Amino acid sequence: MMACTSAHHRRRCLSNVKSVTMPVTTKILFCIVTVLYIVIKSESLSVDNISSDVKFKNVDRTIDLTSQLVKITSKITLENSGKSPVKNFLLAVEASTKNNLAFVGAKDNSNKDLRIAETTVKGYDNVKFWRVELKETLNAGSTVSITTDTVFTKALQPYPTAITQQEDQLVKYTGNLYVYSPYYVTSQKTNVVINTKNVESFTKIKPFSQQDGTIQYGAYSNIAPFTEKELSVHYKNNSPFLTVTRIERLIEVSHWGNIAIEELIEVEHTGAKLKGPFSRYDYQQDHHSGPASVRSYKTFLPASASDVYYRDTNGNISTSNMKIKKDSVELDLRPRYPLFGGWRTHYTLGYNVPSYEYLYHSGNDYLLKMRVIDHIFDDMQVDELTTKIILPEGSTGIKLNVPYPVTRLADSLHYTYLDTKGRPVITFKKTNLVENHIQDFQLRYTFPRLLMLQEPLLVVGFLYALFLCVIIYVRLDFSIHKSEHHKE
């Protein structure tokens, strides 16, 4: 091999090395990937600034700890102390609680939902921000009333973590005494609702007061942005601590007048675990035995639901009751055994609804409008939801519109009787859901109406071919010689 002594030879050697280490096609692919990455990152991430002109003049906050969920409602008086108009403002959640946040929403003084979107602020990587768009521009020196709602799951910790069958369940809440805000707060109050007089301990920072099932804090004045002070409440809470660890929701659409819905639900009691043995005799004789256990719960289905079935691996569960109301069908579901802390169960729930209530069409264009998830039980929390929508065979131009961000999985095909190409299946996943997520999705697709004749024609064709084969078979003669007829 020739040594690279001269400058010309060094340039030639260097070019040869480059061509060996990175071919031209690799360079092109690398450049394309880099450009796409930059474009996607710039579009998916929005960056905002914290305006010094915006202030929270007054905040009246309520922390509801009566169930297994932590629901915080804040009535905010927003003030524009600057000289230029304000079109939006920011909400923030502490780094310690952002992983437990399931829902955040905002409404104006007319109780209309405000548009809200997740955003980022430079220098605050550990804080979760949302930008709230105001219905009308807030002029300089003006104020407006806003109500925000946040729901946290698994924010109440059983303390102690294990109890006997006869003991009450004690839980501990740890949060922020002040409103975690990116803006200066002039005055604020906090009401903690627990609906029990059995309080083991709570944070005592003056001014505060305790009355029945409520602890009141404040008013506190002139709170700086991003101020944190621990708020702790240790109290009795025997409400059902049920968690749907996984639910698979299957929606099968038929253009012949029916939509079949089936849900595979896995439930776990996530409260204080049962310590010691379980006595079925004591549980049945003493109504106060197992105060933290779950005997039954109510599920609400659409008012038009019919052919409802409720079963587990052992078969149909006949202890359930169904009550038809004006706007819903109420199911009183009773598992085969009571659920204590750490116990699990799973079951299948299915029903049918008429397609005319959820499926709209204009020519060959169809619109399916249904709920992402139904009401499973009061104050529900769902770890993971997978929704599968099976459309009729031949559906094309599928477009999914969801009310909140979900993870869209790869489309697949579902085969059943009389299918030739398979039915398209649209699948998406969502984690950490609560009742606020009971909202409608929209699925648009195109389906030629002539394809509805495909299955009847296949049946007719199959029967015609079958009868034709029978006729041919009867008329065929497979005998070796003809039988002789004797004359009389």
Side-chain angles (χ1 to χ4, degrees):
M1 183 176 179
M2 184 183 295
C4 299
T5 55
S6 64
H8 177 68
H9 287 160
R10 284 196 295 271
R11 285 195 297 271
R12 289 185 60 186
C13 291
L14 186 60
S15 63
N16 290 335
V17 172
K18 289 182 178 179
S19 63
V20 172
T21 57
M22 185 176 288
V24 176
T25 55
T26 306
K27 291 181 181 178
I28 296 174
L29 289 174
F30 179 78
C31 293
I32 293 174
V33 171
T34 304
V35 171
L36 288 175
Y37 177 80
I38 294 173
V39 171
I40 292 174
K41 290 292 283 185
S42 62
E43 289 182 354
S44 60
L45 292 179
S46 59
V47 180
D48 281 274
N49 296 319
I50 300 175
S51 175
S52 57
D53 296 336
V54 178
K55 292 183 180 180
F56 286 173
K57 185 176 181 180
N58 183 63
V59 178
D60 191 357
R61 184 175 60 155
T62 300
I63 303 177
D64 187 351
L65 304 179
T66 58
S67 66
Q68 64 172 340
L69 302 175
V70 176
K71 305 174 185 178
I72 301 179
T73 302
S74 300
K75 297 180 180 179
I76 303 172
T77 302
L78 192 69
E79 181 182 13
N80 182 5
S81 60
K83 297 181 180 179
S84 58
V86 173
K87 298 181 180 179
N88 55 66
F89 69 98
L90 299 178
L91 295 177
V93 173
E94 303 93 324
S96 58
T97 61
K98 65 180 183 180
N99 293 330
N100 301 108
L101 180 65
F103 175 81
V104 57
K107 296 182 179 181
D108 59 9
N109 51 8
S110 301
N111 203 31
K112 294 182 178 179
D113 292 329
L114 298 177
R115 185 179 179 183
I116 186 170
E118 190 173 347
T119 184
T120 58
V121 175
K122 190 175 181 181
Y124 296 91
D125 298 334
N126 294 328
V127 182
K128 238 179 179 181
F129 290 93
W130 283 266
R131 184 199 314 113
V132 182
E133 303 289 343
L134 298 174
K135 292 287 186 181
E136 298 179 357
T137 302
L138 185 61
N139 297 322
S142 300
T143 60
V144 64
S145 297
I146 303 294
T147 302
T148 64
D149 293 301
T150 52
V151 181
F152 297 87
T153 59
K154 300 181 180 179
L156 299 178
Q157 301 301 321
Y159 193 79
T161 58
I163 57 176
T164 62
Q165 181 175 333
Q166 305 297 331
E167 289 182 308
D168 290 315
Q169 179 176 255
L170 300 177
V171 298
K172 189 175 184 181
Y173 168 72
T174 303
N176 191 359
L177 181 65
Y178 304 117
V179 176
Y180 193 75
S181 165
Y183 307 111
Y184 187 86
V185 181
T186 305
S187 177
Q188 66 164 302
K189 295 180 181 179
T190 299
N191 295 325
V192 180
V193 181
I194 53 179
N195 280 352
T196 179
K197 296 181 180 180
N198 296 338
V199 181
E200 301 292 318
S201 63
F202 63 94
T203 299
K204 298 178 180 179
I205 297 180
K206 295 181 179 181
F208 73 91
S209 62
Q210 180 186 10
Q211 184 177 4
D212 295 332
T214 303
I215 305 174
Q216 299 178 349
Y217 292 95
Y220 301 114
S221 303
N222 303 325
I223 308 300
F226 302 107
T227 300
E228 292 188 69
K229 185 71 174 180
E230 183 178 288
L231 169 63
S232 177
V233 183
H234 187 204
Y235 65 104
K236 183 183 77 172
N237 188 344
N238 284 328
S239 62
F241 271 58
L242 285 183
T243 300
V244 178
T245 56
R246 181 176 174 270
I247 174 173
E248 184 173 315
R249 181 173 167 88
L250 182 65
I251 302 173
E252 186 172 357
V253 181
S254 173
H255 285 182
W256 293 96
N258 183 69
I259 298 177
I261 301 173
E262 185 175 86
E263 297 175 338
L264 177 62
I265 304 175
E266 299 177 3
V267 180
E268 179 181 1
H269 192 303
T270 52
K273 297 185 181 300
L274 178 63
K275 180 174 62 176
F278 166 67
S279 174
R280 170 70 71 172
Y281 177 80
D282 294 339
Y283 191 79
Q284 292 179 343
Q285 293 296 322
D286 187 3
H287 183 71
H288 298 286
S289 178
S293 66
V294 178
R295 289 179 168 87
S296 64
Y297 50 86
K298 293 182 180 180
T299 292
F300 293 97
L301 303 180
S304 57
S306 61
D307 304 325
V308 181
Y309 56 90
Y310 168 48
R311 62 171 182 260
D312 59 7
T313 53
N314 294 331
N316 187 51
I317 304 176
S318 58
T319 54
S320 59
N321 295 318
M322 186 173 72
K323 184 184 298 183
I324 299 177
K325 296 187 174 182
K326 292 183 179 180
D327 56 350
S328 64
V329 174
E330 180 184 294
L331 289 180
D332 185 11
L333 301 183
R334 184 177 297 270
R336 292 187 182 274
Y337 48 86
L339 297 178
F340 286 85
W343 292 19
R344 300 181 179 183
T345 186
H346 66 277
Y347 60 91
T348 300
L349 179 64
Y351 56 94
N352 295 321
V353 292
S355 58
Y356 67 85
E357 291 192 2
Y358 304 93
L359 190 62
Y360 311 91
H361 73 93
S362 175
N364 293 331
D365 296 328
Y366 287 81
L367 171 64
L368 176 66
K369 187 176 180 181
M370 297 190 71
R371 290 179 176 178
V372 176
I373 188 173
D374 276 322
H375 179 281
I376 303 176
F377 47 78
D378 292 339
D379 298 313
M380 68 180 187
Q381 59 182 23
V382 180
D383 288 345
E384 180 181 310
L385 164 71
T386 301
T387 299
K388 296 182 179 181
I389 308 165
I390 303 177
L391 298 178
E393 186 179 26
S395 300
T396 58
I398 302 170
K399 296 181 180 178
L400 177 65
N401 184 20
V402 290
Y404 36 77
V406 299
T407 301
R408 177 80 178 267
L409 303 181
D411 296 346
S412 58
L413 294 176
H414 175 77
Y415 292 92
T416 183
Y417 58 90
L418 299 178
D419 286 342
T420 56
K421 298 184 296 183
R423 305 183 183 188
V425 181
I426 313 303
T427 308
F428 59 87
K429 182 180 291 186
K430 174 68 176 175
T431 58
N432 202 12
L433 295 96
V434 291
E435 289 187 53
N436 304 80
H437 291 104
I438 302 178
Q439 301 180 35
D440 292 336
F441 71 85
Q442 295 182 357
L443 184 64
R444 300 179 183 273
Y445 62 95
T446 301
F447 179 80
R449 302 188 68 179
L450 287 177
L451 288 180
M452 294 184 65
L453 300 176
Q454 176 179 333
E455 293 184 0
L457 290 178
L458 285 175
V459 174
V460 172
F462 173 76
L463 295 176
Y464 177 80
L466 178 63
F467 289 139
L468 184 62
C469 292
V470 172
I471 293 173
I472 295 174
Y473 176 77
V474 171
R475 290 180 176 273
L476 290 178
D477 186 5
F478 295 97
S479 60
I480 298 176
H481 61 86
K482 295 182 178 181
S483 61
E484 296 182 357
H485 296 279
H486 298 283
K487 294 182 177 180
E488 295 181 356

